[in-house]
Amino acid sequence: MGRLGVRILDGGKDIQSEFDDDDDESLLNFVIEAPDTAVRWGVSGYGETLFNSKQAFQLLREIEQVPVERRTPVLRLLRQGTRWVYMRNGYLQFLGD
């Protein structure tokens, strides 16, 4: 898998915020370690993956299952952005490289 970036998009798909994975690839590892029943299992490391607010809600539940001590700054950003997407009916865009 390649490196991941994330964009938080509003309902009109305008970028509200964006960030890239850290040097330790915390976000990539979060995706790779996903069981095949997890919504994050579908994130592509080589292309674009778009989640709607319903999928964001499921992803938020998955993030919250990560022990607090393992939540890196990137995972905290993902949690914050995912919450925003869910609350505002936006989109979460993963960009694989």
Side-chain angles (χ1 to χ4, degrees):
M1 282 188 126
R3 197 159 169 94
L4 288 177
V6 176
R7 288 183 181 159
I8 310 304
L9 308 171
D10 66 18
K13 297 189 181 174
D14 291 323
I15 299 171
Q16 297 300 305
S17 64
E18 59 187 322
F19 58 91
D20 290 320
D21 205 351
D22 57 26
D23 290 337
D24 293 329
E25 298 184 329
S26 302
L27 181 56
L28 182 61
N29 289 325
F30 178 65
V31 170
I32 289 172
E33 295 169 358
D36 61 3
T37 56
V39 71
R40 70 185 189 266
W41 186 81
V43 172
S44 172
Y46 300 108
E48 175 188 2
T49 307
L50 194 64
F51 283 2
N52 62 26
S53 60
K54 246 184 193 181
Q55 293 162 315
F57 177 73
Q58 177 60 34
L59 181 62
L60 187 58
R61 291 176 49 197
E62 293 173 17
I63 296 167
E64 291 181 350
Q65 290 176 355
V66 174
V68 175
E69 63 274 4
R70 290 193 57 215
R71 291 186 198 165
T72 63
V74 168
L75 289 182
R76 289 193 296 269
L77 280 174
L78 180 62
R79 182 178 178 268
Q80 178 183 359
T82 302
R83 180 177 293 251
W84 188 94
V85 166
Y86 173 67
M87 299 299 288
R88 305 268 174 101
N89 280 334
Y91 297 90
L92 186 63
Q93 181 183 39
F94 291 91
L95 301 165
D97 182 8

